[in-house]
Amino acid sequence: MTSLSDPSAPARPFDVHGGADRPRKTYPEVAAATALGWLRQMYLIREFETRCMQSYQDKKIGGFCHVYIGQEAVAVGCTAAVERSDPIVTAYRDHGHALARGMSARACMAEMFGRIGGCAKGKGGSMHMFDRANNLFGGHGIVGAQIPLGVGLAFAAKYEDEVIKGGRSSRVALAFLGDGALNQGAFHEAMNLAGLLDIPCVVICENNGYSMGTHIARGTTMAHRLGVKGAAYGIDSYEVDGMDVLAVYHEMHEICETARRTSRPAFVDMRCYRFKGHSMSDPRKYRGREEEEHWEADDPIQKLREHLLSRAVLTEDAWKQMVKDVRAEVRDSVEWSDASPAPSSEELMRDVFMERWGPYTGSSQPEMLGGAENVPSFEAIDPSKARTPGELA
Amino acid sequence: MTSLSDPSAPARPFDVHGGADRPRKTYPEVAAATALGWLRQMYLIREFETRCMQSYQDKKIGGFCHVYIGQEAVAVGCTAAVERSDPIVTAYRDHGHALARGMSARACMAEMFGRIGGCAKGKGGSMHMFDRANNLFGGHGIVGAQIPLGVGLAFAAKYEDEVIKGGRSSRVALAFLGDGALNQGAFHEAMNLAGLLDIPCVVICENNGYSMGTHIARGTTMAHRLGVKGAAYGIDSYEVDGMDVLAVYHEMHEICETARRTSRPAFVDMRCYRFKGHSMSDPRKYRGREEEEHWEADDPIQKLREHLLSRAVLTEDAWKQMVKDVRAEVRDSVEWSDASPAPSSEELMRDVFMERWGPYTGSSQPEMLGGAENVPSFEAIDPSKARTPGELA
Amino acid sequence: MSTMMSTSPESPAGGLREIEFRDAIREAMSQEMRRDPRVFLLGEEVAQYNGAYKVSRGMLDEFGPRRIIDTPISESGFAGMAIGAAMMGLRPIVEFMSWSFSLVAADPILNNAPKMLYMSGGQFGCPIVFRGNNGAGGQLGSTHSWCVEGLYSNVPGVKIVIPATPEDAKGLMTTAIRDDDPVFFLESERMLGMKGHVPEGDHLVPFGQARLARSGDDITLVSFGRPVHFCLEAADALAKEGISCEVLDMRTIRPLDVGSIVRSVRRTSACVVVDQSWSFASPGSEVASIVHRECFDDLDNYVHRVHSVDVPTPYATNLEQEYLPNARRICEAVRACLYRA
Amino acid sequence: MSTMMSTSPESPAGGLREIEFRDAIREAMSQEMRRDPRVFLLGEEVAQYNGAYKVSRGMLDEFGPRRIIDTPISESGFAGMAIGAAMMGLRPIVEFMSWSFSLVAADPILNNAPKMLYMSGGQFGCPIVFRGNNGAGGQLGSTHSWCVEGLYSNVPGVKIVIPATPEDAKGLMTTAIRDDDPVFFLESERMLGMKGHVPEGDHLVPFGQARLARSGDDITLVSFGRPVHFCLEAADALAKEGISCEVLDMRTIRPLDVGSIVRSVRRTSACVVVDQSWSFASPGSEVASIVHRECFDDLDNYVHRVHSVDVPTPYATNLEQEYLPNARRICEAVRACLYRA
Ligand SMILES: Cc1ncc(C[n+]2csc(CCOP(=O)(O)OP(=O)(O)O)c2C)c(N)n1
Ligand SMILES: Cc1ncc(C[n+]2csc(CCOP(=O)(O)OP(=O)(O)O)c2C)c(N)n1
Ligand SMILES: [Mg+2]
Ligand SMILES: [Mg+2]
């Protein structure tokens, strides 16, 4: 990682011509099983997203669909660097985070198919992947809106640890955002709050160089030195190579452990690239094929695969088997989603209020915040009553 | 001025213990008439605000009333540093800017009295001083909201000069804000836009150390080095001593001329202090009398007065005369406002739409933007017609 | 099965003790904070300054800075932060110094809080209370006088509470804090100093049950929040003309106690809605539309409506008075509705 | 004295040329930009990308980057900036990629633009057009499917335009750009590809004049924007049952052509409002309330209303279809209103 907090560090222009030729640091190896696990996860995301694109063409998926191809190392490396009890939140390009966090391909795919088997019963859609059991607090569709939420997650974790349990702050939250979200007021206000109140939220800008068709330098001042965006709030900033899962894991582990220990926020300029268009309708005319090829040559999956092959942690046969397994898993998710019923008409009215329908406990019993006595809700007023003529007394 | 763009400059804690003991730069003298004019303007503001406080006690002024006492050098020095054709916009603590820009004490006072003679016919109130003839685009009540407006003023001036007239950008806009407004998303978005689009807006943070009862360090990260707030957008930042009108004038003149020449924004940390409470209801328990006395010893009016006395530009007699004149002017503004009628009932419905009532031309014929052909409005639809049963054909 | 209590100043249903509206809100917050460590308060000037309007006076001393939290002027940021905390299971109370300042936070409070449960398929609720001054204060001008119920009540997934008495302020605030869903709690700067009998200890007033503020036979006045008092004033004046007004204080407009309105209007056959928000697409228009639907054959005249005038809020005191609903305009509407104009 | 034209596809009142809805909007913008150098367009992806929905396709080429301006994702910032520019006398057109993203800009668009003239006592107007997609697209989910007229129409000082045909899109956009006041122009992603006859050259449609989309005798359907087409679909179906529907396309809801509604309802004695916003405190409730007021003695039944269901917008296609107003639900409402259910 390059600490960006030192503002006298040389400016680095956003590297539109790919990371392949960049000088690389070397990182410590990780256990074989861990590395193979990452490879499988990254490949699962890649395959999954490929199938999403196809299913979108097949009109099984509606609305907006933003695939994560090219950025797999970021979600996989970041989630590996923290505990599952550390809450995370992200934007609408969220399938990768969901799968990396442990959501089943079935629940994720069925959500996009708009089926009852989806993580949000088909009511959220592609941009809104939520997974309570895995502490994924959603994908969010409004650019920047999830950043204050992420700060709130870290605030709550710290509050629970310190105020309710009387112990020490033990968790960090990860808030992911795209580079385009840097220019929303929500980013600014959230960063200042985190810096001011010592909130251990790690704000990760997945800097893929573009917000839709806009190159970062056309939308964001100081795009070549994003560290100033953290420095403005006294928050330590780091640059991380998001095309290399080993780099992501090691750097993020150190950053997150520092945040955990000091109970301070951090800001990460995570350099990466989306290989596909912004969404399904984007012909990518705003960038050259040459630029894309440079970045494709830096494919995080290929790179890890070759690395593991070269270290004999992986064999060609094992890889083939992995490919086969992952493809089967993704195919299964499609078949399962096809078979999953659409949500019933009652679902239309459900989940508007807690008191009326109760929280969803379909797939997993959520861990509630501990420490607080279990306060019984005030006797519920059925809102349906309020809608029909009642009695005065 | 201290350029804050060099981030390796030493941090300067916000100087709660007054500017009186600070080392001072010396600035070139200005013409006697100019200096005397500033003294009179500053003293006019002081007297005017003192009468506002009294009139508020007398219940002649309602709503919120935020006086400018202590900060007079800022409005006077800044408006002196630019042309009257350079548009300005500010927040709700706006009487000083209005008077410095040339609004009559009568129009300003009558506005607060809620009378038809007020600059906005009594419909705006203390927080909303507008003066088209003097290119004052309002005081604005929502913290931070005026900053994007200010950027828009500069944008429009440049657009008119360059796109419509085909010439060169010739004006700057001044956007004033309080230190508390630094933490609104509007500040962030406006700064990024100005930096990105080369908009010659000078953003002036009147850093009086407090937003209501909150010391800047309790609300704003990096309060001791606000230059980072400009640097985050690639905008040159400056610190200026706002308790010294000579300093304000000279520094702001240079800053604004640079902005004008380069068509670039600038950010100014204008160090000052409000001698009174946030508004009429503030007992100022959040700061010590000692701190206040330190700052009061740095009174910008006293300082200029003594400076001019020492240089024999001013005599004690002339000062007494000035005091007398100003007091008479302020007294007159109160009497005039007392005599001004309340707005008639018709004013309640007027000025909601242009087409219906036409623009206000009461006191001055506003200069419209030149260059564009004078496009006649589409034949007006009287909204009152739409509110009563009409005819189909 | 809903019940409506008559609480007039003569019959201190709230007990003998009289406290201010602001104290009633504070008492509810403090009692709930003692009861449940997940509850905390944040907002501008709520802690060291004791609240811009002294609603939170003394709370910092009792609960300390970890639970009574001063924020910068970043409504969007701290509203969003509180929503995140609520998703984790905390129960934040967010003070907007004024609801007029909530427009900069419209996205988190309208796009996140009310939709989180639905978008997540029931996984993440949002037990949060947003509260602050709403409606015109005294001459605060165009930007500071919002009646946000005119805007926000269109949105499903929130409960909107507008208390009119100190007793209800406490009872509804307690209910709001214990509620598992987002609640918008709308106070009035003009009423914070109003005194009333307020029960000590636990006091809960359910949502969706109107209060019978005055019973009468000739016409039903439907209102909520501060204008309830204008209705009572008008009812007094009209009584002298022989017109007997029933005044319903809705207390919450989401949910709305349609049953109580309908039952009253079926009896009186006439209805005036008094709503301080602007008229177009307001809670008042909704009530009118509902009453026409439910009481179509009972009504002797269409539902008359009294609102703030459809212009930005003027500063001048005479214009502001003309702008706001007031007893005079209510009396006129009642007479017109009863064909006595 | 207002006039309403019948423009059905059979009678090409708009001329022979057929173009898409998006082209009609662009044509109005381009013509006005040629005519008046003060007009410019800004927003996300409007220039180099040719518009996220291709409404501004080719405009960068014609007008250059000084007048077709790409912005960062800073709705509050660029809306405020454009308002400042409008105060200076320019005439900005601000594209929100979707009105759903305007919530982060609620303060500038509701607190500044509509109040500037009033707060300044008539000194500074705000001639600005905000435009973009409004309402549900196809399965865009809870945060991206706002019908902002449900919220924003409560506010005085803005004009709200919701065109239903390409011809009107051009005519109303031209009027909007020449208007001296702030205009919210609400398009629908679902209709951008719709083709229609659109006059070449100057084409202005006045605000506050409804369009008679179909004439009929038994009942008046009042609608605006996309649901107008659902009404026409329902009217076709109901014609087979012997029910003759008049369909009014309001075109603008602020100002609202009350006269045309009233005249029609006085003749038909029955009215259904179809409004895709949520029901509570919506334009639909306002229309219902007004019709009850103006036609109290003419109505055979209360005004029936069809809205989106009062829940956050669901993603699943079957739920979204149930959620939105549609021809089936309109037919049911019409039959119920005419006691034919
Ligand atoms: C407030 C808001 N404005 C606009 C949009 C439309 N929009 C969706 S994604 C996007 C681009 C975001 O780019 P970036 O943040 O870089 O994320 P990436 O797509 O690269 O992951 C835009 C403009 C939105 N969803 N929310
Ligand atoms: C968005 C918003 N939030 C809150 C307020 C209430 N408020 C008015 S002034 C103020 C303090 C502002 O302090 P600062 O910006 O430093 O200006 P100063 O009063 O010192 O001139 C606050 C919180 C407001 N007007 N707008
Ligand atoms: Mg990006
Ligand atoms: Mg200040």
Side-chain angles (χ1 to χ4, degrees), chain B residues 92-93 141 143 178-181 208 210-211 278, chain C residues 44 73 75 101:
Chain B
Y92 49 85
R93 195 179 298 284
V143 166
D179 47 291
N208 59 16
Y210 293 90
S211 57
H278 168 73
Chain C
E44 292 153 23
I73 312 173
E75 284 80 0
F101 312 147

Side-chain angles (χ1 to χ4, degrees), chain C:
Chain C
M1 218 63 75
S2 65
T3 52
M4 278 175 44
M5 300 163 291
S6 165
T7 54
S8 66
E10 293 76 25
S11 64
L16 288 174
R17 186 187 57 141
E18 269 200 302
I19 59 174
E20 288 186 5
F21 201 107
R22 58 163 63 77
D23 304 322
I25 300 168
R26 182 191 320 117
E27 196 166 276
M29 293 195 293
S30 296
Q31 287 181 354
E32 291 309 300
M33 284 187 64
R34 284 176 210 128
R35 188 168 172 277
D36 184 346
R38 297 171 304 177
V39 181
F40 66 102
L41 173 69
L42 77 170
E44 292 153 23
E45 310 292 349
V46 297
Q48 291 194 17
Y49 199 78
N50 278 308
Y53 297 92
K54 306 305 168 209
V55 174
S56 57
R57 179 162 38 205
M59 290 179 73
L60 174 65
D61 287 344
E62 176 173 356
F63 299 105
R66 305 303 299 269
R67 298 183 69 196
I68 308 293
I69 302 167
D70 276 330
T71 65
I73 312 173
S74 308
E75 284 80 0
S76 179
F78 66 74
M81 181 178 104
I83 291 167
M87 290 174 77
M88 282 280 281
L90 297 187
R91 298 184 152 260
I93 305 171
V94 179
E95 175 174 312
F96 291 129
M97 195 178 287
S98 161
W99 276 96
S100 294
F101 312 147
S102 72
L103 269 76
V104 295
D107 188 68
I109 69 174
L110 299 181
N111 241 343
N112 287 338
K115 297 176 172 173
M116 207 59 85
L117 189 68
Y118 199 88
M119 287 205 310
S120 67
Q123 293 183 76
F124 293 101
C126 197
I128 192 167
V129 178
F130 296 99
R131 49 160 290 270
N133 287 321
N134 181 59
Q139 294 188 257
L140 301 187
S142 288
T143 56
H144 281 48
S145 305
W146 281 88
C147 292
V148 294
E149 66 274 31
L151 292 180
Y152 299 160
S153 66
N154 180 241
V155 182
V158 277
K159 298 170 185 175
I160 301 188
V161 180
I162 314 187
T165 67
E167 185 184 349
D168 277 359
K170 177 170 178 184
L172 292 165
M173 177 54 81
T174 307
T175 305
I177 297 170
R178 295 193 197 175
D179 198 284
D180 289 326
D181 295 309
V183 177
F184 292 179
F185 195 94
L186 279 46
E187 302 153 19
S188 162
E189 187 240 289
R190 306 307 279 175
M191 287 164 59
L192 288 177
M194 169 187 286
K195 288 199 156 190
H197 297 276
V198 177
E200 303 187 49
D202 264 19
H203 171 51
L204 291 108
V205 171
F207 291 170
Q209 287 191 9
R211 182 178 68 93
L212 181 63
R214 176 185 178 120
S215 50
D217 298 318
D218 297 332
I219 192 163
T220 304
L221 305 190
V222 176
S223 194
F224 38 86
R226 188 171 170 225
V228 168
H229 301 282
F230 305 151
C231 288
L232 292 172
E233 202 184 321
D236 276 344
L238 291 163
K240 297 184 187 119
E241 300 173 24
I243 299 175
S244 160
C245 299
E246 180 141 307
V247 179
L248 297 190
D249 169 6
M250 300 316 296
R251 287 173 164 159
T252 63
I253 54 173
R254 282 270 203 163
L256 185 70
D257 182 3
V258 173
S260 292
I261 299 174
V262 168
R263 193 156 180 276
S264 174
V265 176
R266 291 223 171 118
R267 203 162 43 73
T268 61
S269 304
C271 180
V272 170
V273 193
V274 183
D275 169 5
Q276 64 174 338
S277 40
W278 290 306
S279 57
F280 199 97
S282 60
S285 48
E286 186 65 26
V287 169
S289 172
I290 290 174
V291 170
H292 286 121
R293 180 187 76 203
E294 299 294 327
C295 309
F296 189 70
D297 295 324
D298 308 289
L299 286 172
D300 291 333
N301 200 346
Y302 67 88
V303 176
H304 283 51
R305 294 165 51 189
V306 180
H307 287 274
S308 289
V309 175
D310 190 37
V311 301
T313 316
Y315 164 79
T317 181
N318 66 316
L319 296 185
E320 193 187 36
Q321 288 313 310
E322 278 188 70
Y323 162 86
L324 290 171
N326 54 40
R328 180 184 55 72
R329 282 172 56 205
I330 296 168
C331 288
E332 282 165 17
V334 166
R335 289 189 209 105
C337 191
L338 295 175
Y339 301 101
R340 303 223 207 163

Side-chain angles (χ1 to χ4, degrees), chain A residues 117-369:
Chain A
C119 64
K121 301 192 277 186
K123 293 159 81 164
S126 163
M127 302 193 286
H128 304 124
M129 296 292 166
F130 288 83
D131 187 347
R132 184 151 197 159
N134 288 307
N135 280 305
L136 169 61
F137 285 74
H140 293 271
I142 300 297
V143 166
Q146 76 283 5
I147 314 169
L149 299 183
V151 172
L153 300 177
F155 172 90
K158 180 171 176 165
Y159 184 100
E160 191 195 7
D161 289 336
E162 297 187 351
V163 179
I164 298 181
K165 294 187 178 159
R168 287 198 46 185
S169 178
S170 69
R171 283 167 287 171
V172 292
L174 306 186
F176 294 88
L177 59 138
D179 47 292
L182 291 171
N183 305 315
Q184 272 287 327
F187 170 77
H188 174 69
E189 298 190 5
M191 289 286 280
N192 186 56
L193 281 164
L196 200 65
L197 303 177
D198 291 320
I199 299 177
C201 182
V202 180
V203 176
I204 302 163
C205 175
E206 295 195 55
N207 182 357
N208 60 17
Y210 293 90
S211 57
M212 294 193 68
T214 304
H215 184 275
I216 182 168
R218 292 207 303 122
T220 307
T221 48
M222 300 300 285
H224 58 289
R225 198 196 271 168
L226 286 187
V228 293
K229 305 282 178 191
Y233 314 95
I235 294 179
D236 288 336
S237 298
Y238 307 91
E239 183 187 306
V240 175
D241 177 0
M243 302 303 277
D244 177 355
V245 72
L246 272 169
V248 175
Y249 169 76
H250 284 292
E251 305 288 19
M252 288 305 297
H253 187 74
E254 194 176 326
I255 293 165
C256 294
E257 287 312 305
T258 303
R260 197 188 303 279
R261 196 179 62 247
T262 58
S263 196
R264 283 287 299 167
F267 174 70
V268 181
D269 176 7
M270 182 70 78
R271 296 289 177 103
C272 55
Y273 201 77
R274 63 166 154 72
F275 289 175
K276 304 293 173 187
H278 169 73
S279 65
M280 294 300 107
S281 63
D282 171 9
R284 318 205 298 271
K285 290 199 187 134
Y286 46 83
R287 64 190 197 190
R289 191 62 200 125
E290 192 205 4
E291 175 187 312
E292 292 186 347
E293 276 164 6
H294 260 90
W295 280 93
E296 282 162 12
D298 199 27
D299 185 328
I301 298 179
Q302 281 312 319
K303 219 159 41 191
L304 180 61
R305 191 183 79 94
E306 273 151 33
H307 179 71
L308 297 182
L309 284 172
S310 76
R311 283 178 57 235
V313 172
L314 181 72
T315 63
E316 279 293 353
D317 279 353
W319 168 249
K320 277 189 191 132
Q321 188 59 40
M322 191 182 280
V323 167
K324 217 172 131 192
D325 290 351
V326 164
R327 289 200 174 146
E329 183 174 342
V330 173
R331 206 177 318 113
D332 163 78
S333 79
V334 171
E335 282 159 15
W336 191 83
S337 301
D338 276 333
S340 175
S344 68
S345 283
E346 281 115 64
E347 283 298 337
L348 183 63
M349 305 303 288
R350 217 167 254 167
D351 303 321
V352 180
F353 293 114
M354 281 284 239
E355 60 181 16
R356 191 166 181 186
W357 300 105
Y360 175 63
T361 49
S363 63
S364 59
Q365 182 55 42
E367 260 195 336
M368 297 297 287
L369 267 179

